Amino acid sequence: MIRKKILLLGDFNVGKTSLIRRYIDKTFSEKYLTTIGVKISKKEIELNHEIYEMLIWDIEGATPQKSIPQSYYNGASGAIFVADISRSDTIEGLDAHIQTFNYLNPDRPYVIAYNKIDLLNEEQQKELPNRHNAFFTSAKTDTQVEELFTHLAQEIFND
Amino acid sequence: MSDISEKSELEALKALLFEDEFQHLEKITSKLQTLETETKSTDEITQIVLKHFDDILLKKLAQKESKTIEVLSQYLSKIIAKSASGNKLELSYALQSTIASVLSKEVENNKEKMIDALYPILGGMISRYVAQAIKEMMDSINEKIEDGFSLNKYKRKVKAKVSGVSETELLLEESSDATIYSLFVIHKKSGLLIAEANLENKEIGDPHMVASMASAIKDFINDWIQNHEEESSVQLVSYGKETLYIESAGSVYIIAFLNAEPDYEQRSEINTFFAHLVKRYSRFFQTFNGDDSALEVKILSQKMQAFIDAQRKTSPQTKKEKKSMAKYLVWLLAFGALFYVYIQVEQYYANYRLEQSLLQKTGAQIRVTQEEDTLQLWGELSSMEQFYTIERIMKGKKFINRLEMPVEEIDHKISTLQKEIEELKVLYSEKKSIKGALK
Ligand SMILES: Nc1nc2c(ncn2[C@@H]2O[C@H](COP(=O)(O)OP(=O)(O)OP(=O)(O)O)[C@@H](O)[C@H]2O)c(=O)[nH]1
Ligand SMILES: [Mg+2]
């Protein structure tokens, strides 16, 4: 079987761990338990009648004062960058994460999750940022979560 | 001496500090099979990390201060609201008892944040306690070394001289007879498991998760150590009797899971095997792409399995016999004993050196044992060239060859020999016919 390492990156409290729980366990919790270090999960995925496995590294949220050990980035075949759509600082923070990732893993695919889309009202939902490979997700209401992971998996494994 | 014992102290401290990691790995292994324990694992990770890395956590606390304060103030305001109706003294009593109960409840329910908050106080106490305990242990061991008159003492002294390992460390090692029950080869960059082998019935559940976890922990620890010490990597991670021996080599980590700390001899045995693997497969390791159906993975796993299974043959009993006999001798004749030690150590190191030079020159892991005045060579060769090299090295020594070689290799050699003979025949007949023509 072919296995690949995938990263989840983004500021703290944006919903990285929640997205994985939604994707793998099909559950959601309002409780916020910050991740310390790394939490690893795995998920099999079938693409074109082949089974692949993703080892997903859910990495503790970065803060302006503390960056993530670079070694966590190493050897990743793809990444999901997560921002909280209701907190603009986490959206602005995306580029720094993407830059580090691109630097350490050149030419690897990635997707962006603007998470917590359920917190926006209809009016606000009309003015969403427009970006390549972006998904507007909600771990709470199960919106676009499956699509997010599947899209990345396709880019990685159908290479 | 202080230099040496400081260094061993450091080693011992490391071993103690990472005790829980292994326990944690095991827990995760069994639990993650069901993939339901996300919250719990996070709790556990938090506890483990918090307990041990005070510097990092102090920093973390400082950065996420607003979060911590938010949580704490939430409870404090409830408590104060409850008791504010009474007078000041009453309030403070009320606060004391309520805080105690809130604390214990919250530590139960909301471990991360409470530990976050309490850590700065507890962390220092814990590490001071651990450091003290280690110091006492090392002191008592050093005392033993200084006071004890025993044969082992001299044996140790010589061994320490020859091997450059401190006496204290050797003393620590003398009690161990470790068995490897699992071997992992992990791709360093991605943390993906390349190959594994296990003793029968000792399989590690969900090895791929364990491999990633181990590599994340190793990344984390190394990152931490780089910021705190000069030493560049951690090799031994112990929990109780369970030990992970981690070797970082080229593009892989190789991990041996053991039931006790390996002693010096065993460590060099493991290292030799690891070196062999790395030498053989370094190209494959470098280009590993996550696909474990590759042929190399199969061969590699078989080799690792053979290494694990071979442990049973070298039973620990013979080692023990040697030791107790040595002990017995010391009471009989100190001088004779010293002489015996000298021979033992000499012999051991002669054989050890021979093994090392065989490894260097052939790349094969060969064991050298001694029976009377004859050496015996054990191990597996992969080519005739290795065999010829060994013959050259052993020239002039009395030895029995107990080496094994795959049948294909011998077949191959025979068929090339046959080919050579055929060619020679052709040459010969050509020469003959030319000669005939000239006549
Ligand atoms: N409304 C809403 N809340 C969400 C959503 N996803 C996560 N949350 C909440 O946001 C908080 C943080 O979620 P986590 O998944 O723990 O965030 P994280 O990015 O893993 O945080 P760190 O581990 O600290 O880096 C939790 O209280 C979640 O319940 C979402 O889609 N909608
Ligand atoms: Mg998290």
Side-chain angles (χ1 to χ4, degrees), chain A residues 60 85 99:
Chain A
E60 65 179 346
I85 191 107
Q99 258 172 30

Side-chain angles (χ1 to χ4, degrees), chain A residues 16-18 32-35 58-61:
Chain A
K16 297 180 293 299
T17 306
S18 302
Y32 174 38
L33 290 170
T34 186
T35 306
D58 169 16
I59 294 171
E60 65 179 346

Side-chain angles (χ1 to χ4, degrees), chain A residues 40-132:
Chain A
I40 289 159
S41 315
K42 69 169 189 188
K43 173 81 174 165
E44 281 185 5
I45 187 164
E46 194 184 323
L47 299 169
N48 309 325
H49 312 293
E50 260 312 322
I51 307 238
Y52 300 97
E53 194 168 85
M54 297 185 268
L55 283 135
I56 307 170
W57 290 45
D58 169 16
I59 294 171
E60 65 179 346
T63 61
Q65 296 89 343
K66 184 182 179 275
S67 57
I68 295 151
Q70 276 204 357
S71 40
Y72 288 163
Y73 282 85
N74 284 339
S77 298
I80 298 176
F81 297 98
V82 187
D84 179 342
I85 191 107
S86 67
R87 275 165 56 207
S88 60
D89 57 318
T90 69
I91 299 176
E92 283 147 24
L94 283 174
D95 283 322
H97 295 296
I98 295 174
Q99 258 172 30
T100 316
F101 176 77
N102 277 340
Y103 174 69
L104 293 166
N105 299 286
D107 302 324
R108 297 291 182 196
Y110 63 85
V111 289
I112 296 170
Y114 293 102
N115 192 38
K116 307 198 189 178
I117 188 80
D118 58 286
L119 293 180
L120 299 192
N121 59 33
E122 271 176 35
E123 208 46 44
Q124 290 168 312
Q125 292 205 11
K126 283 180 190 150
E127 299 161 29
L128 295 174
N130 190 3
R131 227 179 145 155
H132 176 65

Side-chain angles (χ1 to χ4, degrees), chain B residues 20-81:
Chain B
D20 288 353
E21 249 78 322
F22 188 70
Q23 186 184 27
H24 180 55
L25 272 185
E26 280 213 326
K27 272 188 197 157
I28 288 187
T29 311
S30 60
K31 284 181 184 167
L32 283 176
Q33 273 172 322
T34 54
L35 286 172
E36 300 175 327
T37 54
E38 148 104 38
T39 316
K40 202 138 193 236
S41 303
T42 317
D43 267 359
E44 280 157 11
I45 291 177
T46 308
Q47 270 184 302
I48 286 154
V49 175
L50 282 175
K51 237 191 263 168
H52 303 314
F53 304 114
D54 52 334
D55 285 356
I56 273 195
L57 283 156
L58 280 170
K59 255 190 236 158
K60 196 171 172 86
L61 191 75
Q63 287 149 12
K64 292 197 177 177
E65 212 189 349
S66 56
K67 276 206 267 180
T68 316
I69 290 169
E70 194 185 294
V71 178
L72 274 181
S73 60
Q74 204 184 313
Y75 298 111
L76 280 175
S77 60
K78 273 189 209 160
I79 297 161
I80 293 167

Side-chain angles (χ1 to χ4, degrees), chain B residues 107-122:
Chain B
V107 169
E108 252 334 277
N109 299 341
N110 207 351
K111 285 192 179 103
E112 273 113 343
K113 279 164 196 155
M114 291 316 290
I115 293 170
D116 246 1
L118 293 176
Y119 190 76
I121 308 155
L122 293 180

Side-chain angles (χ1 to χ4, degrees), chain B residues 379-388 401-419:
Chain B
E380 195 187 303
L381 300 183
S382 52
S383 73
M384 289 302 282
E385 279 63 42
Q386 286 181 326
F387 181 73
Y388 296 140
N401 171 5
R402 301 202 182 277
L403 298 163
E404 287 166 355
M405 195 175 316
V407 183
E408 313 90 273
E409 190 60 36
I410 296 171
D411 282 346
H412 175 73
K413 195 70 209 174
I414 289 175
S415 74
T416 45
L417 271 178
Q418 273 170 347
K419 251 189 232 147

